[in-house]
Structure formats: structure tokens, C-alpha cells
Amino acid sequence: MADVPDRHARVMLPIPDRPAPGLTTYDAKDPDTTYPPIEALRPPEGASNVLIVLLDDVGFGASSAFGGPCATPTAERLAAGGLKYNRFHTTALCAPSRAALLSGRNHHSVGMGSITETATSAPGNSSVRPNTKAPLPMTLKLNGYSTAQFGKCHEVPVWQSSPMGPFDAWPSAGGGFETFYGFIGGENNQWDPALYNGTTPVDPPATAEQGYHLTEDLADRACNWVRQQKALMPDKPFFMYFAPGATHAPHHVPQEWADRYRGRFDDGWDVQRERTFARQKDLGVIPPGAELTERHAEITAWDDMPDQLKPVLARQMEVYAGFLEHTDHQVGRLIDTIDELGVLDDTLVYYIIGDNGASAEGTMNGAFNEMANFNGMAALETPEFLRDKMAELGTPSSYNHYSVGWAWAMNAPLQWTKQVASHWGGTRNGAIVHWPAGFAERGGLRSQFTHVIDVAPTILEAAGLPEPMMVNGVQQSPMEGTSMLYTFGDAGAAERHDLQYFEMFANRGIYFQGWTAVTKHRTPWIMVGDDLPAFDDDAWELYGPDDYSQAADLSAKMPDMLAKLRRLWLIEATKYNVLPLDDRTAERLEPGLAGRPTLIRGNSQLLYAGMGRLSENSVVSIKNKSFSVTAEIEVPDGGADGVLIAQGGRFGGWSFYLKAGRAKFVYNVLGIQEFAVAADAPVPAGRHQVRMEFAYDGGGLAKGGDVTLYHDGTAAGRGRVGATQPMIFSADETTDVGYESGTTVTPDYTAGSSRFTGRINWVRIDLGDDDHGHLVDPDERLRVAMARQ
């Protein structure tokens, strides 16, 4: 901790330049010519390096450091040399936890009431961080830290996620990180990710067949960066944020890591919870009087699951356990690198094992492709289908998730899961702090209530830095977290963060001086068809100060205390922009209904060759409606092949391309069903318009339709698409023109062979089915483009 007086006025950032008064001579050769030396900006003397490691979707009872079945030796090593926190809390969802972590404010205060994809126009759910709440990395950078982020960034508003930005919310632009290497969004394919270096799209340095894995790549980059930082600026502290997409679905891991756990989970999730609970007691990471909470009726008992499915379910957990151990190993490589540089003891390390509870978004049967459930189509993955795909779980051909039952088990001894902000199963995560230069105790346990918003003020206090009052000319609001520094040296210190609200999709709760009042409003794995009660009809529960796991509901015995806490929740919700409550699901995916901006206006979009890495929010939506795609192409003598336009990838999407010179349209439903329509004859040499029309059947969501292909307005092929995806194609695959990045929609081509061999002048997507075989006038293209402005 800094203890040397600092000459800088650091409450205003950037720190104002203050020229030193003195004699100004006429001739630089005059012996009286003298100026103070130019000094590089540095934090106060004694400020340490900082490393935050944030894992994704790891429940409290998953890591071996907190009694779980998944080996995490790096976490155990850091805990042995530092402190475990067994009452550390997040927000119950990834983007909100990350926004809170990096700002020191509650998630609704910085506009991140849920994920960016469900943002609304309400201030607490807009996904836009107010400029009165500057992020921690910006504060540290402007105080002289080197700053870098590696991994996941899910805090960019979706309408700002295209290659044209704006980049205000991107890590390496407005986010305060000088270096960013990772991905934008909630999840990514570990074998074939959509990566950015800063704001520039880049391809992975290798393929899965060549041994590539995203978490390993992130660790390589982080290790190289910190070596270079210490080689070139040994006196300058660093702030690194290492946030791999692991262990968010898809659960991708080399098979040898999963095979380490073969047979370990054959007894099922009920037995696993009991084993974890017993080990947690033995380790002392939960109080002796803590109780193992009961399984809710919405979660099927292991014994009641179909016998034919149990081997698949067990393999799902083996893959996940291997994934978590593999992730911890990559964190260990980074810790080893910092240690080899001789600066680990003077690095304040936060190892936060999960940004929310374990994820129950995979249905009771688990998923080979988690997008099936997000589209309300989980029924396509029958037990027979899952059994046939069991050997592929975790491999590049899968996009897998485990069963709700395993998520519940990984949150032992707590109730519920990710998204359920009312209960500790959604919000309590194991956390470890390692800082030998900052405190003397080794292997200690801290049980004060702490929250993810406490991390930023802790780092500032540890560095001897004040909260800024002004950043980039904008007056700042105070941080809302409480520094944890007081706990570092005193296990028995009185709790300072004693009031905290929780809310996510109307699951809500309040913590106050040990008491909790909570109400679960919706079940996270029920994506469609859930009959939700009115908010005022939600049943509230009450738990006392000694009830670590929220096991004994006191609401019937103490109605006055429950009423007091419910009123307190409403006060805090009003204070921090939680209201209005919003439990909508599908409606919030539609920008018009949600009230958020969109890049796309009207019913047409004009695209050009070479455009790519366009997220679904950057392209007009063709879901659940009729549409057409027209491309003006120039075919050389000898014909042309390749992609005209493709959206999505191996696990769902569509592609319009030429194969052996013939126009072809493929619609891929979740990697389970493929519908292909090909033209009768090749497109001849010269300039032509090729067109695909899809006439939607109507009558609801996810229906099929008839496809007609045209060459220059003349029908050239007909066929049918039997079903479509109604909500989302992919969380990580994109739309590309003239090629296809990532995985490919169809095995007809590979990403390497997808580039169109002729010339594409333009591609236009039109919604509706009014103009059958319509030839597009070049002047009309210009009018359409201007009309969209």
C-alpha cells in the first residue's frame, strides 16, 4: 500500500498538466537555461500490480478450492498463500456482473440490468454506461498503470458491436484498456472463435485440428503481454483483467481433460451434491451449522431420469469438469509467468470463480447444441439423438451444455442457479485474494458479506488512489461498493457492506445485516411458455443471519421482518434504477419492442463484398417472415464458386452460394436438420443477378417455407425448407459477404475454400414476398441506401 506523499492532484483525470514556474531564457545555450526533467506518469509510490481473473458460469460448489469435484490446483495454490471469501456475491448474470466489477457500481446504475441482447430504453436496462461512472481501468490508466484485458467482453451495446462501432464501450477504446485481445459478446466457440485485437477482427492463429483452443490462446497472449510490460516498463505497475469465456457454454475441451473424470459422476447430481456438501464441511469453507438445501420440484431427481440418458448426462458433467480444470490450468500458466518475473508477491490477485452461479440454461436433458433451447426447439434433441452424439460432447462438432441437474449440483449447498438473483445459488461465488506484500495471513478464510462492486474501491485503496471526482471533463458519481481492504488483515472485522439489493429478470432479493428477503419470479431454463405470476403475487421468503445457505424460510413466523425488508428492497430498487421490473423474454430480443436503437431501418439492406463479422444485430432479421436475397455477380469464363452471403454457421444459419457454378441455398436448423435447394443449371459467364426467394408458411414461429432460385429474373430451381430458427442463429457466428468466417453453414465448403471466385458487385436482402423474380435496378440500390439513413 502506498505511504509516500504524492505530488499529483489525482481527483481530476486526466491529471491536469501544471507547468513549473521559473526563468525562461532567450538562448537555450544560456547557462541559466534549466527545466525540470520530463517524468513519465506513474501511480503513487508503492502501488502494486493488479490481476483480476474472472471465470464464467462457475457455481460455488464446482471448484475443488470450495469443496467441488472439479480440480482447480491453481485456485488452491493461491488460496493457500492468500484468503478465501465464502460470502462473495455477483449479480446472477454475466454482463451485469462484469459491468459492476469494472465500475464499482451496481449493475442497474451502469445500465446493465441484464445482458446487452435484451437491453431496453429504461435507464437501468439500457446497456449504456453513463459517462458519470468511469470504468476502473480508465481511472488506473490515467493514473499511470499499464492496462490490458484478455477474453470476454459482454458490455458493448449490441447496436455498437459492428465493425464500424462506435467503440466507446469497447475495452481498448472507451473502456480504458490499452490492450484488448478477445471477443465481444456472451459466449464463443472455443475451437473457432470470432476474435478481436483491439477493435480489429482477427482470425485465430491456428485451427482446432492444429491444436487450437481459445483459453490457451488467451493465456499465451496474457503471458506474452506481461513479460513485455515488465521488460520495457519494470517500474510501472500493470492492471490485467483475464476473463476467459470458460466455463460458459459451449463446454469445449480437449478430450483427454474430460476423460480424467470418466466414471466420476455416474451416481448423478443428487449424490454429487451430498459429496460436495460433506467436503465443504471438511474444508471449513461453509459454517459447521450450514444446511444442504433441498432439491426443488422443477429439478428432476437423478433416479427419475431415463436410464438410456444417464450415460449422456454423466458425460456432460465429465466434459464440464475437464473444462474447468483445463481453464484453471491456463490461469496457472499466467500465475507462473508473473511469479517467474519476480512480481507475484507484489501483485494483488483476485481470482473470482464465476461471474454468477452455475448455468441452468441447458434444459433437464442437457444439450448438444444449446441454441436449441434458446430457440424453443429443445425437443429436436431427443434422448436417442443425444445418445448418438455422446462421444462428440466437447469436440468441435458440438455446441454443448450440461443438464440443469448438474448446474444445481455445482451450486451446492445453495438453492437455484444462474439468473436467479433472489437466491445464493445464482449470486454466491467463491473468491480468492492473493497479495503477500499486502497482508501476512496465509490460507485464511473471510466471511464478511462482499460483492463484486467492492473490487474496484478495494483496488483504488490498495494503490493509494482516490476515487476521481472528474474524468474527461465529466463529474463522477461516487462508487457504490465498499473496499474490502479492511478484511485483509482482520478475519473478525465488523462487516461494512451490510445492505445490498439483487434483481435479475424480476428474480429479486435484499440483504441487510445478515437477513435476506427473496422472491423467485421465473425459472431460467424455461424459455417459452412459462406462465409468470404478477409481480405483486410473487411469494417472498425470509432467511435469518445464521442461515448460510437459505435453508429455513422464516416468512410465516416473522411477517413484520419480511415486510420491513420488502420495503427496503423497493427503496434500494428505486435508488439504483431497478424499476420498472421487466420479465419479458422474446419481446426484449426485438429492438423495436424493447426500445433500443438498431443499425437496421426499413425492410432492405445493401451489402458489399468483403463485409464480414457482422453480428445478428447488424443485419436485417429474416426470421419468421418471407425474404429474398439478390446478388449482382460477374462470373468469369469457366464459371465461379463460393459464398455470396452466409449467416450463422455449423450450429444454425443459412448460406446462398455457388457450387459447381450452380446457385444453391442451404438452411441449417441447429446443425440437426439441413434443407438445400439448388439451381438446375450453372450461372453463365458475364454479369448476372442471382436471387433466392423464401416464402414463409406463416401461422406462428419456426415454420418452413418454399424456396425459389432465379437467374436474371427467370426461375432456375425450387425446393422447400421444412423448419426455421425463430429467435437466434448463433451467439458468436456472424454474417459474411463473399466468404464465410468461423464454422460453415454447410459442409459443401470450408471456411478456407468459401471465398467467391468471381466478383460480387452487391448483395441485397429484402423482407416480404411481393416481387417474385424481381430484377434490382442499380439506381434503386442507391435510393434504398439513402432511404435507410
Side-chain angles (χ1 to χ4, degrees):
M1 198 172 356
D3 55 9
V4 177
D6 181 34
R7 66 182 179 85
H8 291 294
R10 298 179 185 270
V11 294
M12 183 177 291
L13 299 176
I15 298 169
D17 293 327
R18 302 172 68 182
L23 174 67
T24 300
T25 60
Y26 181 70
D27 187 339
K29 298 186 293 296
D30 188 316
D32 290 330
T33 301
T34 180
Y35 294 96
I38 298 173
E39 295 182 359
L41 177 63
R42 294 291 185 266
E45 185 72 24
S48 70
N49 307 302
V50 179
L51 168 65
I52 296 178
V53 177
L54 180 67
L55 302 191
D56 203 330
D57 283 4
V58 187
F60 181 82
S63 161
S64 60
F66 287 86
C70 309
T72 52
T74 302
E76 293 185 34
R77 168 189 169 191
L78 292 174
L83 304 172
K84 288 182 185 178
Y85 284 77
N86 68 348
R87 293 174 71 228
F88 182 89
H89 300 86
T90 53
T91 69
L93 201 58
C94 47
S97 291
R98 292 157 194 269
L101 170 72
L102 293 178
S103 68
R105 279 90 167 184
N106 286 301
H107 56 301
H108 292 91
S109 291
V110 289
M112 202 66 72
S114 65
I115 54 175
T116 56
E117 292 84 355
T118 57
T120 73
S121 55
N125 274 287
S126 67
S127 75
V128 178
R129 175 181 49 78
N131 61 11
T132 55
K133 296 171 173 59
L136 172 69
M138 178 68 74
T139 297
L140 294 177
K141 182 181 77 169
L142 294 177
N143 274 289
Y145 270 79
S146 294
T147 58
Q149 176 179 346
F150 300 92
K152 170 177 171 174
C153 174
H154 198 186
E155 301 96 80
V156 177
V158 291
W159 64 92
Q160 297 180 10
S161 63
S162 83
M164 294 307 297
F167 300 110
D168 300 347
W170 288 55
S172 59
F177 288 105
E178 296 165 317
T179 294
F180 170 65
Y181 180 79
F183 62 93
I184 304 297
E187 63 186 50
N188 225 306
N189 188 322
Q190 297 284 322
W191 302 112
D192 198 348
L195 293 170
Y196 287 88
N197 190 344
T199 60
T200 303
V202 294
D203 292 326
T207 65
E209 292 73 22
Q210 295 167 328
Y212 179 85
H213 190 280
L214 174 58
T215 316
E216 298 173 12
D217 184 17
L218 296 174
D220 289 344
R221 295 280 183 148
C223 291
N224 291 339
W225 181 87
V226 74
R227 289 190 191 105
Q228 180 167 268
Q229 197 274 341
K230 284 305 167 196
L232 298 178
M233 299 178 175
D235 65 325
K236 185 174 185 177
F238 65 78
F239 172 68
M240 183 192 292
Y241 176 39
F242 187 73
T247 57
H248 195 293
H251 299 161
H252 285 160
V253 68
Q255 292 293 285
E256 61 267 24
W257 290 83
D259 290 345
R260 297 181 180 190
Y261 292 87
R262 191 170 294 280
R264 294 267 296 276
F265 302 105
D266 290 353
D267 292 331
W269 43 72
D270 295 284
V271 171
Q272 182 57 56
R273 258 179 81 93
E274 293 171 357
R275 289 172 178 164
T276 297
F277 181 65
R279 189 161 184 267
Q280 289 170 332
K281 286 286 185 76
D282 291 342
L283 288 176
V285 294
I286 62 175
E291 297 181 36
L292 181 62
T293 55
E294 296 181 358
R295 176 173 38 77
H296 291 275
E298 293 92 330
I299 303 171
T300 306
W302 175 261
D303 289 345
D304 293 334
M305 295 298 293
D307 287 339
Q308 66 167 325
L309 197 58
K310 286 180 179 178
V312 181
L313 298 171
R315 185 57 178 172
Q316 291 170 3
M317 187 59 216
E318 292 168 5
V319 169
Y320 178 82
F323 192 22
L324 179 51
E325 183 177 356
H326 176 265
T327 303
D328 180 81
H329 179 75
Q330 309 314 315
V331 175
R333 292 175 52 217
L334 176 56
I335 295 298
D336 288 344
T337 298
I338 296 173
D339 196 11
E340 291 163 4
L341 292 168
V343 295
L344 181 59
D345 283 359
D346 194 32
T347 299
L348 171 56
V349 179
Y350 266 92
Y351 192 168
I352 304 173
I353 309 177
D355 55 355
N356 41 245
S359 170
E361 294 157 346
T363 80
M364 279 307 308
N365 287 353
F368 184 72
N369 179 359
E370 66 161 346
M371 288 297 137
N373 193 36
F374 291 138
N375 280 283
M377 304 173 78
L380 288 177
E381 296 195 337
T382 64
E384 294 76 19
F385 172 85
L386 292 171
R387 187 68 182 256
D388 288 344
K389 294 290 187 179
M390 184 174 72
E392 298 177 48
L393 291 173
T395 71
S397 65
S398 69
Y399 207 84
N400 52 305
H401 204 318
Y402 60 13
S403 167
V404 168
W406 292 124
W408 172 68
M410 293 304 100
N411 289 323
L414 312 170
Q415 296 189 56
W416 295 112
T417 63
K418 173 185 176 180
Q419 294 192 29
V420 186
S422 51
H423 291 75
W424 296 146
T427 62
R428 180 165 288 172
N429 289 92
I432 295 165
V433 176
H434 182 273
W435 190 26
F439 52 80
E441 188 174 355
R442 304 289 180 263
L445 180 69
R446 296 294 183 268
S447 295
Q448 293 91 345
F449 180 94
T450 49
H451 191 273
V452 69
I453 62 174
D454 298 337
V455 174
T458 305
I459 290 170
L460 292 182
E461 185 179 1
L465 292 171
E467 282 189 40
M469 297 180 64
M470 192 83 69
V471 176
N472 294 324
V474 179
Q475 185 171 341
Q476 299 296 293
S477 66
M479 286 186 175
E480 294 156 9
T482 302
S483 171
M484 298 165 58
L485 204 68
Y486 76 97
T487 68
F488 288 179
D490 186 358
E495 188 171 280
R496 296 184 184 177
H497 190 151
D498 63 0
L499 173 61
Q500 179 63 47
Y501 83 90
F502 295 88
E503 191 276 339
M504 191 64 61
F505 300 122
N507 295 320
R508 52 206 190 274
I510 186 83
Y511 172 85
F512 182 57
Q513 297 180 352
W515 292 86
T516 56
V518 302
T519 181
K520 174 188 164 291
H521 178 73
R522 65 183 297 269
T523 302
W525 57 92
I526 301 178
M527 301 293 181
V528 293
D530 197 9
D531 186 16
L532 298 175
F535 298 131
D536 289 343
D537 293 338
D538 284 330
W540 284 75
E541 303 159 14
L542 176 69
Y543 299 99
D546 297 325
D547 193 346
Y548 177 85
S549 58
Q550 298 174 318
D553 180 11
L554 303 175
S555 59
K557 297 179 180 179
M558 305 182 70
D560 291 344
M561 175 59 78
L562 178 60
K564 173 184 175 180
L565 293 180
R566 290 182 62 177
R567 183 167 58 246
L568 186 56
W569 181 88
L570 187 59
I571 293 169
E572 294 297 291
T574 304
K575 183 190 303 182
Y576 293 115
N577 282 338
V578 179
L579 302 178
L581 292 172
D582 194 341
D583 61 359
R584 296 175 297 167
T585 52
E587 298 95 327
R588 290 177 65 171
L589 294 173
E590 170 55 46
L593 294 176
R596 64 177 174 269
T598 177
L599 286 177
I600 312 306
R601 299 178 179 89
N603 293 323
S604 296
Q605 185 172 18
L606 191 63
L607 303 166
Y608 296 95
M611 294 179 68
R613 295 289 289 276
L614 304 176
S615 68
E616 285 193 35
N617 291 282
S618 302
V619 180
V620 64
S621 176
I622 54 87
K623 301 179 188 75
N624 309 304
K625 57 178 69 76
S626 299
F627 70 97
S628 64
V629 179
T630 307
E632 183 179 275
I633 61 175
E634 296 181 22
V635 178
D637 293 337
D641 280 339
V643 171
L644 304 177
I645 182 171
Q647 181 174 44
R650 179 180 203 158
F651 305 104
W654 58 272
S655 179
F656 188 31
Y657 59 103
L658 265 61
K659 177 74 171 179
R662 299 169 186 251
K664 190 171 182 178
F665 176 76
V666 166
Y667 197 107
N668 172 353
V669 180
L670 298 166
I672 300 173
Q673 299 174 333
E674 181 181 291
F675 303 97
V677 181
D680 301 328
V683 181
R687 179 178 293 185
H688 302 279
Q689 285 189 18
V690 291
R691 180 178 174 91
M692 184 284 306
E693 292 184 358
F694 175 73
Y696 188 62
D697 290 343
L701 304 178
K703 304 302 182 183
D706 294 325
V707 174
T708 306
L709 303 180
Y710 294 89
H711 293 171
D712 297 321
T714 301
R718 300 181 188 276
R720 179 157 179 83
V721 169
T724 57
Q725 290 180 217
M727 300 295 182
I728 183 173
F729 288 119
S730 173
D732 56 351
E733 300 278 4
T734 55
T735 297
D736 307 293
V737 182
Y739 71 104
E740 185 172 5
S741 63
T743 66
T744 58
V745 170
T746 170
D748 262 2
Y749 54 83
T750 65
S753 66
S754 65
R755 194 165 296 276
F756 186 63
T757 57
R759 174 184 171 87
I760 299 174
N761 293 327
W762 47 263
V763 176
R764 200 176 94 175
I765 304 174
D766 293 285
L767 303 183
D769 59 357
D770 297 333
D771 300 315
H772 301 299
H774 175 62
L775 285 175
V776 178
D777 188 312
D779 292 334
E780 181 185 5
R781 293 190 291 112
L782 179 60
R783 289 195 299 272
V784 170
M786 295 297 292
R788 290 184 61 244
Q789 303 304 313

